[in-house]
Amino acid sequence: MKIVVIGSGYVGLVAGACFAALGHNVVCVDNNSAKIRALRDGAMPIYEPGLDVLVVENVEVARLEFTEDLREALIGADAAFIAVGTPPRPTDGHADMKYVYAVARDIAEQASGDLVVVNKSTVPVGTGDEVERLLQAANRPFRFSVVSNPEFLREGVAIDDFMTPDRIVIGSEDDWAKDVVSAVYNLPGFENTPILHTSRRSAELLKYAANAFLAMKITFINEIADLCEAVGGDVRDVARGIGMDSRIGIKFLNTGPGYGGSCFPKDTLAISKTARDYRIQLRTIETVIQVNENRKRAMALRIVDACGGNVRGKTIAVLGLAFKADTDDMRDSPSIPLIQALQDFGAHVRAYDPEAMENSKKLLTDLDYCSDAYEAADKAHAVVILTEWNEFKNLNLKQLRARTSGRLLVDLRNLYTEDEVTAADFDYWCIGRSAANRPFKKQYLAAE
Ligand code: UDX
Ligand code: UDX
């Protein structure tokens, strides 16, 4: 089939390259000329493991191409996927739909035949109705139908998530459109993937509900981590123990500095706003949003505690800037408020991230960007592990300690054990574990 994907970002580019690798003829459209030029030269505008190979391979066999020309792309297309960004509006946190609606108008004006339009972007409930209205308002002599086909891609593992999804959701009440999108996924490799047909609005809502639930699960274990510190538990064992219950599941129970990224923060805000528009209050999600925001700030205070209550004039090394490992994405990364808070408290920050440095430089200034973890640790009073990159899991701790001026290692992703860290002459701070948690020890010792 011929498929057009509009928006060559973290979602659109992965979807386009995977559709091509699965055998479709794909044209990726983007209104960013530099991005299209780069892609035509085989240069990736984003870091996503394996994407560069997948794109180059499929461009070489002429199954994937890049253009700014939507009219040309739509000629003979069976389906057009909208994958442009839906960022939160700065004013009120609502998802900003202006890009999606602009693309819908462009499709209506430039289509040259019947077309199924598929919302791949995460869009508020009811967006499909509005996109369909915009398409029909153009009074073109063609049949348009809008389908919600939400993506569930995690950055860093997006290709795997696309190629081996837990389910494919097709939201439509139009049999023709359902058949076209079912045909898009009727490919070798998807034989055993359940396809869930729902109404368009249910598909739009379940995407937000999925992300909100995952954000809630993470926030739950983050709060349990705080309780573990107070009562002397180990959050890793508690997570393992509850996760062995098949009704709970072990995934997304890794405690950390709070969730970030282009989805959870935006989508939890959007679903709670949508609810309020319908005079419903999602108190659980509103609490998740608040707890997560507070946690990011609390992490900075934990570092200040570890430094004896004052970081003024001290150098702090931060390992990891991206919102998670295996991505260059800085959107809503916990590193942003954490580093800004440390700077506000008078610390000098040195930082390193394997992929997110360039994106970080647009957001975080007045800090030293270093070429590796050891350079970042140079003369640092404390080293903070913020993102769970593999290279931070196997640091040569003795070599790291030899570079630092202070003895503090603050591990906000629980990558290490107290024994291996103290063996390297570090004083270990982590989260959710009694054995290495000052708040617990301070409280406990005080009680003696
Ligand atoms: C995607 C989904 O769209 C979003 O709903 C989901 O929540 C996160 O993932 P993402 O791919 O991360 O968003 O957005 P981004 O990386 O910003 O890519 C959007 C692309 O669309 C950009 O390349 C931008 O240049 C392009 N674009 C934007 C257009 O081609 N036309 C437009 O009118 C607007
Ligand atoms: C998420 C959803 O997982 C995906 O299905 C959706 O399509 C897009 O949003 P993404 O944001 O790319 O994917 O990454 P994810 O792996 O979900 O991590 C999101 C945030 O949660 C990160 O900040 C990560 O560090 C944090 N996280 C995740 C935890 O703190 N603990 C966990 O156990 C898992």
Side-chain angles (χ1 to χ4, degrees), residues 151-155 207 252 254 260 263 323-324 413:
E151 47 84 15
F152 299 97
L153 309 181
R154 289 167 295 162
E155 289 178 24
K207 166 63 194 175
F252 277 56
N254 302 313
C263 295
F323 78 94
K324 62 180 248 190
R413 292 285 184 168

Side-chain angles (χ1 to χ4, degrees), residues 7-11 29-32 35 83-86 99 103 121-122 151 262-263 266 331:
S8 300
Y10 284 93
V11 170
V29 182
D30 202 292
N31 66 0
N32 179 321
K35 195 171 276 196
V84 295
T86 54
Y99 304 115
V103 167
S121 290
T122 306
E151 47 84 15
S262 69
C263 295
K266 164 176 75 72
R331 287 179 286 190

Side-chain angles (χ1 to χ4, degrees), residues 345-394:
F345 291 141
H348 175 68
V349 175
R350 296 168 61 80
Y352 164 67
D353 185 286
E355 293 294 341
M357 304 272 264
E358 288 317 307
N359 285 337
S360 177
K361 286 171 184 170
K362 302 169 196 162
L363 300 160
L364 289 166
T365 53
D366 302 325
L367 64 146
D368 298 338
Y369 284 97
C370 302
S371 57
D372 62 35
Y374 303 95
E375 186 193 335
D378 225 17
K379 301 186 181 53
H381 186 83
V383 177
V384 178
I385 298 175
L386 195 50
T387 306
E388 69 291 10
W389 285 98
N390 281 336
E391 67 181 88
F392 297 156
K393 293 174 182 169
N394 313 297

Side-chain angles (χ1 to χ4, degrees), residues 101-358:
Y101 296 151
V103 167
R105 290 188 193 93
D106 291 347
I107 291 172
E109 282 151 28
Q110 302 182 40
S112 53
D114 294 351
L115 186 66
V116 172
V117 175
V118 186
N119 268 337
K120 194 58 143 158
S121 290
T122 306
V123 292
V125 180
T127 301
D129 306 350
E130 177 60 13
V131 169
E132 203 155 75
R133 190 190 66 75
L134 289 169
L135 290 168
Q136 281 149 7
N139 291 322
R140 301 294 307 281
F142 309 124
R143 184 179 181 186
F144 292 127
S145 186
V146 177
V147 176
S148 169
N149 172 225
E151 47 84 15
F152 299 97
L153 309 181
R154 289 167 295 162
E155 289 178 24
V157 285
I159 293 171
D160 273 357
D161 281 354
F162 191 98
M163 294 298 202
T164 54
D166 290 333
R167 76 301 202 189
I168 291 162
V169 174
I170 299 176
S172 169
E173 287 90 340
D174 174 336
D175 289 342
W176 167 61
K178 273 187 201 176
D179 292 348
V180 168
V181 180
S182 300
V184 167
Y185 288 99
N186 181 24
L187 296 158
F190 283 146
E191 300 88 352
N192 303 320
T193 303
I195 294 193
L196 177 66
H197 286 282
T198 71
S199 72
R200 190 162 60 200
R201 284 178 168 247
S202 295
E204 290 167 339
L205 180 56
L206 77 83
K207 166 63 194 175
Y208 281 105
N211 273 2
F213 186 89
L214 292 166
M216 181 175 67
K217 189 173 182 185
I218 293 164
T219 305
F220 172 81
I221 201 64
N222 281 341
E223 288 207 302
I224 294 297
D226 291 346
L227 183 56
C228 284
E229 291 168 11
V231 303
D234 183 324
V235 70
R236 296 168 308 170
D237 293 335
V238 172
R240 199 173 294 125
I242 63 172
M244 291 161 105
D245 181 325
S246 59
R247 294 169 300 173
I248 295 173
I250 192 65
K251 292 179 181 175
F252 277 56
L253 285 175
N254 302 313
T255 188
Y259 61 76
S262 69
C263 295
F264 287 174
K266 164 176 75 72
D267 295 350
T268 46
L269 211 50
I271 192 173
S272 62
K273 297 280 179 191
T274 296
R276 283 179 177 273
D277 288 350
Y278 289 83
R279 290 197 292 281
I280 303 280
Q281 193 180 1
L282 298 181
R283 281 184 290 278
T284 41
I285 302 309
E286 290 180 1
T287 305
V288 163
I289 294 167
Q290 196 51 52
V291 168
N292 191 64
E293 277 315 300
N294 295 345
R295 184 171 186 82
K296 293 181 184 179
R297 278 195 294 275
M299 290 298 115
L301 295 175
R302 181 164 297 217
I303 294 162
V304 173
D305 279 353
C307 293
N310 183 357
V311 292
R312 185 157 301 286
K314 290 177 180 164
T315 297
I316 310 278
V318 175
L319 305 187
L321 294 166
F323 78 94
K324 62 180 248 190
D326 299 323
T327 184
D328 62 348
D329 200 344
M330 286 291 291
R331 287 179 286 190
D332 259 315
S333 174
S335 65
I336 299 168
L338 184 131
I339 287 173
Q340 287 171 341
L342 291 174
Q343 291 174 323
D344 292 346
F345 291 141
H348 175 68
V349 175
R350 296 168 61 80
Y352 164 67
D353 185 286
E355 293 294 341
M357 304 272 264
E358 288 317 307

